[in-house]
Amino acid sequence: MDYDVTVAGAGPAGLMTACELALGGARVVVVERLTEPDPTIKAGSINIPTAQALDRRGLLPRLAEAQRRTFEGFDAFVRDRREAAPDKGEPVRMAPRFAGHFAGLMLRADLVDPDDPAFADVGPAGEVGLVPQQEIERILAARAAGLGVTVRRGVELTGFDEDADGVTVHLAASDGGPAGAIRSGWLVGCDGGRSLVRKLAGFDFPGTDPLITGHQALVDLTGAEALNTGWNRTDTGVYAYGPLPGRILTVEFDGPPADRNTPVTAAELETSLRRVSGADVTVTAVHTATRFTDNARQVTSYRRGRVLLAGDAAHVHSPFGGQGLNLGIGDALNLGWKLAAVVRGRAEPSLLDTYTAERHPIGAWVLEWTRAQILLMRPEPRADALRRVVGDLVATTTGASYFTRRISGVWQRYDLPGDHPLTGASAPDLELADGRRLADLLHGGRGLLLDLTGDPAVKALADGYGDRVDAVTASCPARPDLAALLIRPDGFVAWAAATDATERPVHQLPEALSRWFGTPAT
C-alpha cells in the first residue's frame, strides 16, 4: 500500500479527517482538484461541538485570534454604515456565539436561560464561534502539515477500483494530464455535495428537490444606504446585509438556478438584490460569490465496503442555521479515530458500523431543521401566519433557550450503553484541581480514563490499554458527583460513574474499554 487511507477533498471535512487519521497513526494522503484553497464565501461561524473539537486538539488560541479578526470586520461594517447612512447607522450588536437565527428570526441572547444545564461545563470553547470557514481551513491545513499529512493539490480523483484488500484510486492533473494512481486500504470521500466518490461507489442519496435560488457574496455596491441590516423578509423573498462590509445574501422562491456552474456575475447579484429588497442598488465589483439551493439529501449509509463518506459528500442541505461546516467536522472527528484504529489493527472493521449509527441521525436532523426554515421564509400568507406563531415563541425564554440549544449543537449525543446521564454526551470541560482542563488531556487524540477519586480498581482495569488510553488520576472540586469518566478520542463519554452510586459500575468499564479500544495488550 502507498498509504493506509486516501482522502478525496481538502475542505474542512477532508482536512479534519486526515488530521484525525494521522493522529491515530495512519498513513494518509489528501487529493484535491483545486491548486489553492477555495476563497469562495461560505459559512461564517462554528457551533459549540466544533469549537470543543478544535479546543481538544490544542487549537483554541488560533480560533480566538480568528474570531478577533472577525470582530474587526464587524466594527468596519458599523463605521461604513454610519458614514454612508447616518439615519440607519444603528450599532450591530452581536449576540453570544451560541445565539443565531431561525429562518431569519433573530434569537435574543438575553432571553436564553442563563441556568440552562445544556450550556454548563462547555468551557472556554463556548466563547469562540464567529470564525469563518476560510479560517477553519487555514487552521486545519497548518495542522495537517504539522502532522505530516501529504496533501496533493491540483490532482483530481477520476475513478477507483475496490477489491478485498484495498482501493486503487485513479488520478488526473487539474489541467487534464495524467497523475498516476494511489493504492490504499481505504478511501474517504470528502469531495463535496456533487461527490464523484459517492456516485461511483453507488451510494443511495434520497431526499427532496430544491425550491429556491440563493446567493451569497462580498461585493462593492452603491445605494447600500437603502438596505436594512440583518435579515429581512419581503414580498418577493429574503435578503441580508452585513455584518461584514459588502456582505449580501438573497433568497428567491422561484425554483433552482438553471445553471449552477457558470460564474456569478455582478449583474446577477444586482438583479436579485434589487428584486428582493426593492432598493436601487448597484453592484460595482464582486470579490467572492456563490449560488445555493435547498436541495436536501442524505446517503442511507456512510460506508460501502472500503469506501466511506463525510461532510457534504454524505449530506446536502441549505446553509440556513450554519450547520453544514459543523456537521462535516463532526463526521470527521467521529470517523477519523475509528478508521485509524482499524488501520492500525487496534479494532475490527465492525467498529466502522458505529460511524453511520452515530452520525446519520444528526445529519437527518440538520436536513429537517433546514427544510423547516425554507417553509417559514416563503413569501405567502400561510407562512406569514406560521411565522407570527414561531416569532412569538422565540421571543420567550423557553423558546429562545430551545432554539439556541438546537443551533448551538449542545444537544448532540450518541446512543451508547450505560445508565449515567453523561454516557453518550460530549465530555464536560472539567477544571481540575491542578489547573488543567479536561480538554488539555485530549490533545493527543487518545482515549482518556479520568479517575477523580483515586480508586485503584479503576486504574487496574486500564492495564493493557496504555498504548491507546491515557489513565489520569486527578480531582475536580467543582464536580464532587463524578467518580470517573472514560472518554473516547472524539471527546464523547463512553462510560461514567457517580460518587453517590450504591454500586459503582466498575464492572461495566472493561466492556466499554473493549468496545471502543479493542483487546488489551498482554
Side-chain angles (χ1 to χ4, degrees), residues 319-342:
F320 302 117
Q323 298 295 325
L325 167 63
N326 300 297
L327 192 55
I329 293 291
D331 291 346
L333 193 71
N334 188 288
L335 172 61
W337 71 272
K338 294 175 180 177
L339 185 52
V342 171

Side-chain angles (χ1 to χ4, degrees), residues 154-386:
V155 176
E156 184 174 8
L157 180 149
T158 58
F160 61 86
D161 300 310
E162 180 185 353
D163 55 52
D165 300 319
V167 182
T168 301
V169 178
H170 304 289
L171 306 172
S174 296
D175 59 7
I182 293 174
R183 178 72 174 165
S184 59
W186 300 83
L187 171 63
V188 181
C190 300
D191 50 339
R194 305 177 195 181
S195 169
L196 181 61
V197 173
R198 182 186 67 234
K199 295 173 183 176
L200 293 178
F203 283 86
D204 294 329
F205 200 43
T208 52
D209 294 329
L211 301 174
I212 69 168
T213 293
H215 296 90
Q216 184 177 204
L218 288 177
V219 301
D220 295 336
L221 72 165
T222 60
E225 60 274 8
L227 298 173
N228 294 319
T229 58
W231 287 78
N232 303 273
R233 184 168 172 266
T234 72
D235 293 338
T236 51
V238 173
Y239 80 92
Y241 177 50
L244 295 172
R247 186 261 185 173
I248 59 171
L249 180 145
T250 64
V251 182
E252 297 181 81
F253 293 83
D254 53 357
D259 186 354
R260 290 193 61 189
N261 296 317
T262 58
V264 180
T265 65
E268 180 181 349
L269 293 170
E270 181 180 299
T271 299
S272 180
L273 186 55
R274 286 188 175 196
R275 190 159 46 220
V276 175
S277 70
D280 186 18
V281 296
T282 301
V283 176
T284 58
V286 179
H287 302 289
T288 175
T290 185
R291 299 183 193 89
F292 62 87
T293 73
D294 60 325
N295 181 35
R297 299 183 179 278
Q298 183 184 24
V299 293
T300 53
S301 173
Y302 287 16
R303 176 193 174 196
R304 283 179 63 88
R306 290 182 171 272
V307 181
L308 302 108
L309 302 178
D312 291 347
H315 35 68
V316 295
H317 51 85
S318 75
F320 302 117
Q323 298 295 325
L325 167 63
N326 300 297
L327 192 55
I329 293 291
D331 291 346
L333 193 71
N334 188 288
L335 172 61
W337 71 272
K338 294 175 180 177
L339 185 52
V342 171
V343 163
R344 301 297 295 168
R346 298 189 296 265
E348 295 296 322
S350 58
L351 178 64
L352 298 176
D353 296 337
T354 65
Y355 173 48
T356 295
E358 292 176 357
R359 294 303 301 173
H360 193 280
I362 295 177
W365 172 83
V366 168
L367 265 64
E368 292 295 287
W369 187 258
T370 57
R371 288 184 180 118
Q373 292 181 79
I374 293 296
L375 292 181
L376 202 60
M377 289 190 292
R378 290 183 64 86
E380 53 96 8
R382 294 176 183 83
D384 293 343
L386 181 60

Side-chain angles (χ1 to χ4, degrees), residues 4 129 135 259:
D4 296 317
E135 294 281 3
D259 186 354

Side-chain angles (χ1 to χ4, degrees), residues 465-489:
Y465 290 95
D467 60 335
R468 65 203 91 160
V469 177
D470 294 325
V472 176
T473 300
S475 62
C476 180
R479 290 297 303 267
D481 57 310
L482 287 178
L485 297 170
L486 176 64
I487 302 170
R488 306 190 319 188

